[in-house]
Amino acid sequence: MKTMEGEKKISSAIVRRLPRYYRLLQRMREQGRERISSGEMAQMLNLNASQVRQDFNNFGGFGQQGYGYPVETLYKEVRRILGLDREHRVVIAGAGNIGRALSGYPGFAQQQFRILALFDVNPSLVGTKLPNGIPILHIDDMADYIRDNAVDVGVLAARRSVAQSIADTMVEAGVEAIWNFVPMDIRVSVPIENVHLAESLFVLSYRMQEQEKKIQK
Amino acid sequence: MKTMEGEKKISSAIVRRLPRYYRLLQRMREQGRERISSGEMAQMLNLNASQVRQDFNNFGGFGQQGYGYPVETLYKEVRRILGLDREHRVVIAGAGNIGRALSGYPGFAQQQFRILALFDVNPSLVGTKLPNGIPILHIDDMADYIRDNAVDVGVLAARRSVAQSIADTMVEAGVEAIWNFVPMDIRVSVPIENVHLAESLFVLSYRMQEQEKKIQK
């Protein structure tokens, strides 16, 4: 097995597939499976087997011809590659619907993303706690909080008009990545992942309409 | 301007860019802008101008060399292409964190996606209403409700173990599209859009780790 230094440059298409492998391996592991073939993984993920094999070759292999992959080893390796083997410390800017839903999102805690606090300006929210105990603090205190608590991930769930400036504050205060739920392009010097719900909904709407046109023909 | 029938087959890359054009045009329109050039759109969306022009050519043009695009015409056309010029009727399966957050998501109503009801099995939720008045009903009544209320979009926010069977019920009862928030691949005969939060989070984690490796070098 190659070491970190031996890994090839990974394409963004593979990076997008990695979470799906991880999810599948997690499930196989829970079910007590010891080995899994590239063909089976491919079938379950709607990929083709040679692509699966090629993807894992990029990380230095693991498989043995005809025996499939060892689930536990592969799971741990994918987890390490994804950086999920260590805790992340998270704050959320915006305690509206999205911010609050995210703070109750079980996927966070399961994957060692620990939400420490939400930040907002709404006086009826600031100073209160969510049912799960997470405090809502004033946005003006966010930068200090990030520094004092070694926060490494900032979640943007604030209004569009303030989102860029909150992102700038987060990065200045030391976050290493931003998870953005605000429907706009935020420019920062750290990695950023966008979840644009409206855009996903628009694509769905488009595809419904295309489907209807097909049926009408 | 070409008619619907004259439109070329649109690639999925363009379909993914359309919501971003739509969002930008919506903003320009709110600001009272009458014309916008491909160069300006390109800059605001981090694309290149020739790509923007090419995309709009796919829908039959609209631009006039040197004058830019008329904002209102282009906005309406993109809205029509996206199928956002008519109302959609939506139910959500699963009244947990995600389901409830979505039901309060302002983007829905703004874009004529009207949420009629949530469905769940939890006896402490079924029969209650959300603060915004949307009822939570029993999942066993979902199929009839979909038929009786001409629901055309089903949102999946249920547990993984029941998600596929709920999706099947939705499609049988007549929904034309599914918006899926459950972290698994759902197989249905209608258009489906997936919002996999955990996967987005994993990609973010991966990119943070890559960034740290770069800095250490």
Side-chain angles (χ1 to χ4, degrees):
Chain A
M1 199 183 294
K2 286 187 196 171
T3 60
M4 207 72 161
E5 288 69 43
E7 278 163 17
K8 296 178 201 159
K9 174 93 185 113
I10 297 166
S11 80
S12 71
I14 302 179
V15 173
R16 296 274 155 197
R17 283 194 291 277
L18 272 176
R20 302 178 62 201
Y21 292 131
Y22 180 67
R23 191 146 56 82
L24 176 63
L25 289 164
Q26 213 170 14
R27 209 158 73 232
M28 292 296 110
R29 191 172 168 258
E30 281 163 18
Q31 290 169 12
R33 283 281 302 272
E34 288 189 4
R35 306 192 77 83
I36 187 165
S37 71
S38 51
E40 193 179 352
M41 275 196 270
Q43 210 210 337
M44 294 177 89
L45 297 174
N46 262 328
L47 300 168
N48 68 64
S50 73
Q51 186 169 54
V52 172
R53 281 192 296 271
Q54 219 177 350
D55 284 351
F56 288 122
N57 275 338
N58 269 294
F59 308 117
F62 310 111
Q64 214 181 328
Q65 194 70 40
Y67 287 89
Y69 297 93
V71 169
E72 183 69 19
T73 311
L74 198 53
Y75 164 78
K76 282 198 177 140
E77 193 59 14
V78 174
R79 188 175 65 166
R80 186 188 65 75
I81 292 167
L82 285 172
L84 295 170
D85 52 351
R86 62 192 182 101
E87 193 189 69
H88 293 291
R89 299 166 67 81
V90 182
V91 295
I92 300 177
N97 283 307
I98 298 285
R100 269 178 292 175
L102 287 171
S103 71
Y105 172 57
F108 258 134
Q110 278 159 26
Q111 304 303 345
Q112 306 209 67
F113 283 78
R114 200 173 136 209
I115 299 169
L116 301 178
L118 279 76
F119 291 89
D120 209 297
V121 289
N122 184 337
S124 70
L125 294 175
V126 171
T128 65
K129 280 185 182 185
L130 296 177
N132 56 16
I134 300 175
I136 303 177
L137 307 174
H138 197 282
I139 195 86
D140 289 347
D141 299 325
M142 188 183 68
D144 283 341
Y145 189 95
I146 289 172
R147 279 185 211 103
D148 296 346
N149 293 279
V151 170
D152 59 352
V153 176
V155 178
L156 278 184
R159 268 173 304 123
R160 200 165 71 184
S161 56
V162 292
Q164 179 67 55
S165 103
I166 291 176
D168 293 338
T169 305
M170 283 175 165
V171 173
E172 260 181 59
V175 307
E176 290 166 30
I178 286 182
W179 206 25
N180 175 36
F181 286 78
V182 182
M184 64 183 284
D185 297 312
I186 300 286
R187 295 177 194 208
V188 284
S189 58
V190 299
I192 183 165
E193 266 284 304
N194 298 297
V195 179
H196 287 169
L197 291 179
E199 296 187 5
S200 165
L201 195 62
F202 295 169
V203 171
L204 188 68
S205 171
Y206 172 80
R207 292 175 57 207
M208 280 173 82
Q209 174 147 305
E210 286 298 290
Q211 192 67 24
E212 281 164 29
K213 272 196 270 172
K214 257 190 242 161
I215 292 163
Q216 281 157 15
K217 269 177 197 164
Chain B
M1 200 180 292
K2 288 185 195 172
T3 61
M4 208 71 164
E5 288 69 42
E7 277 164 18
K8 297 178 202 161
K9 174 93 185 109
I10 297 167
S11 79
S12 73
I14 302 180
V15 173
R16 296 274 155 197
R17 282 193 292 275
L18 272 176
R20 301 178 62 201
Y21 293 131
Y22 180 68
R23 191 147 55 84
L24 177 62
L25 289 164
Q26 215 171 11
R27 210 158 71 233
M28 292 296 109
R29 192 173 166 258
E30 282 164 17
Q31 290 170 11
R33 283 285 298 273
E34 288 187 6
R35 306 192 78 83
I36 187 166
S37 70
S38 51
E40 193 178 352
M41 275 197 270
Q43 210 210 339
M44 294 177 90
L45 297 173
N46 263 328
L47 301 168
N48 69 65
S50 72
Q51 186 168 53
V52 172
R53 282 191 296 271
Q54 219 175 352
D55 284 351
F56 289 121
N57 276 337
N58 269 294
F59 309 117
F62 311 109
Q64 216 183 324
Q65 193 71 39
Y67 287 89
Y69 297 93
V71 169
E72 183 68 19
T73 311
L74 198 54
Y75 164 78
K76 283 198 177 139
E77 193 59 15
V78 173
R79 189 176 63 167
R80 187 188 64 75
I81 293 167
L82 286 172
L84 294 171
D85 52 352
R86 62 193 182 98
E87 193 190 70
H88 292 292
R89 299 167 66 81
V90 183
V91 296
I92 300 176
N97 283 309
I98 298 284
R100 269 178 292 176
L102 288 171
S103 71
Y105 172 57
F108 258 133
Q110 278 158 27
Q111 304 303 343
Q112 306 208 68
F113 283 78
R114 199 172 136 209
I115 300 169
L116 301 179
L118 280 77
F119 291 89
D120 209 297
V121 289
N122 185 337
S124 70
L125 294 175
V126 171
T128 65
K129 282 186 179 183
L130 296 178
N132 55 16
I134 299 174
I136 304 177
L137 307 174
H138 196 282
I139 195 87
D140 290 346
D141 299 325
M142 188 182 67
D144 283 340
Y145 189 96
I146 288 172
R147 280 186 211 102
D148 296 345
N149 294 280
V151 170
D152 59 352
V153 176
V155 178
L156 277 183
R159 268 173 304 121
R160 201 164 68 187
S161 56
V162 291
Q164 179 66 56
S165 103
I166 291 176
D168 294 338
T169 305
M170 283 175 166
V171 173
E172 261 180 58
V175 306
E176 291 166 27
I178 286 182
W179 206 24
N180 175 36
F181 286 79
V182 182
M184 64 183 285
D185 297 312
I186 300 286
R187 293 176 196 209
V188 283
S189 58
V190 299
I192 184 165
E193 266 284 306
N194 298 297
V195 180
H196 287 169
L197 291 178
E199 295 187 5
S200 165
L201 194 62
F202 294 170
V203 171
L204 188 68
S205 171
Y206 172 79
R207 292 176 56 206
M208 280 174 82
Q209 175 147 303
E210 286 299 289
Q211 192 67 24
E212 281 166 30
K213 271 196 270 172
K214 257 190 244 161
I215 290 163
Q216 281 157 17
K217 266 174 198 167

